[in-house]
Amino acid sequence: MAKRVAVILSGCGVYDGTEIHEASAVLVHLSRAGAKVQMFAPDADQMHVVNHCEGKPTGEKRNILQESARIARGEVTDLAKLDVSAFDAAIIPGGFGVAKNLSDWAVKNKNCTIQPHLEKLIKEFHKAGKPLGMCCISPVLAAKLLPGCELTVGQDKECEKWPYAQTAGAMKDMGCKHVNKDVDEAHVDVKNKLVTTCAFMCNAPFHKVFDGIGIMVQETLKLA
């Protein structure tokens, strides 16, 4: 029987929404595995809109759900309508939308809060023993809501290849166990049914990010 997976998006575009290549990789690997997918996003305004040519905020306002529909080809539902009992697992791709729209990590770091509907849903998936897959920056959501969990955002030593390695330190400060992994690997926290991979936290070729996300998807489905 096909696994039913909720994919949670946070807009469209790396600097203010979902990282598009990560979302695409998740969807391709889920499709290849024969999973039944439904996409969700909050029906709310983005924190801000970024000009992706310049990397600078603009004065525009955009809706997270409407922007996520660009990735979902229109097939996206308000996050408030996600019924945990209808799904076997949930996967959250990365992108700054996770840190700006699904939480306020971008502003408050380890003192962040999580979007209320999402906080409730992550806790419900976890309580029901249903697996969660997260990549790139999205493991910060688990770090905040699942105390003591094991996860990876790549490596904990900053260098050209790993420019965001300080995030691993923040995870440790939050009481989580960070496990160093390469871009084409994933870490499985069996106890918490949490599967994480670093994706574009690493300066890596697109195909390696794609492959790492594939491992994350496979391991998430195995736990479902």
Side-chain angles (χ1 to χ4, degrees):
M1 186 174 173
K3 303 291 185 184
R4 301 159 300 168
V5 181
V7 175
I8 298 171
L9 304 175
S10 59
C12 180
V14 59
Y15 297 129
D16 59 12
T18 299
E19 210 296 322
I20 295 168
H21 302 286
E22 291 179 21
S24 178
V26 165
L27 295 169
V28 170
H29 287 295
L30 285 171
S31 175
R32 185 169 284 149
K36 186 176 179 181
V37 175
Q38 187 170 349
M39 285 170 268
F40 295 87
D43 186 4
D45 285 342
Q46 296 180 185
M47 173 183 155
H48 59 193
V49 178
V50 174
N51 178 328
H52 277 57
C53 290
E54 300 175 353
K56 296 177 182 177
T58 71
E60 286 183 72
K61 281 192 175 182
R62 294 191 186 183
N63 177 276
I64 304 165
L65 182 64
Q66 291 177 17
E67 290 299 293
S68 297
R70 295 174 181 273
I71 294 173
R73 298 176 62 86
E75 295 293 325
V76 65
T77 303
D78 183 353
L79 186 65
K81 297 179 180 177
L82 198 165
D83 178 3
V84 173
S85 67
F87 294 92
D88 300 301
I91 293 179
I92 308 176
F96 279 99
V98 171
K100 295 177 177 180
N101 303 330
L102 299 186
S103 72
D104 52 12
W105 176 272
V107 179
K108 296 183 179 178
N109 201 260
K110 58 191 178 186
N111 296 315
C112 71
T113 57
I114 311 300
Q115 197 271 354
H117 288 306
L118 183 59
E119 177 174 351
K120 178 173 176 283
L121 290 166
I122 288 174
K123 288 178 177 177
E124 285 181 359
F125 270 99
H126 184 251
K127 185 177 179 181
K130 296 182 177 184
L132 294 157
M134 301 181 184
C135 63
C136 195
I137 193 63
S138 64
V140 302
L141 303 170
K144 186 68 179 182
L145 298 177
L146 308 178
C149 67
E150 298 178 5
L151 43 74
T152 190
V153 288
Q155 299 287 311
D156 58 7
K157 297 278 195 306
E158 195 167 325
C159 61
E160 186 178 352
K161 183 178 178 182
W162 299 98
Y164 309 107
Q166 73 276 9
T167 306
M171 303 290 198
K172 294 173 186 176
D173 290 345
M174 294 167 76
C176 301
K177 179 181 178 182
H178 181 268
V179 181
N180 284 346
K181 291 284 184 178
D182 209 343
V183 65
D184 54 0
E185 299 177 309
H187 180 69
V188 182
D189 178 347
V190 177
K191 179 183 176 182
N192 288 295
K193 290 197 172 183
L194 173 67
V195 186
T196 51
T197 189
C198 68
F200 284 109
M201 298 293 275
C202 179
N203 277 332
F206 282 41
H207 72 279
K208 288 192 175 182
V209 173
F210 183 89
D211 291 346
I213 290 173
I215 301 295
M216 181 267 285
V217 168
Q218 290 168 25
E219 294 297 332
T220 302
L221 292 175
K222 281 181 190 175
L223 293 171

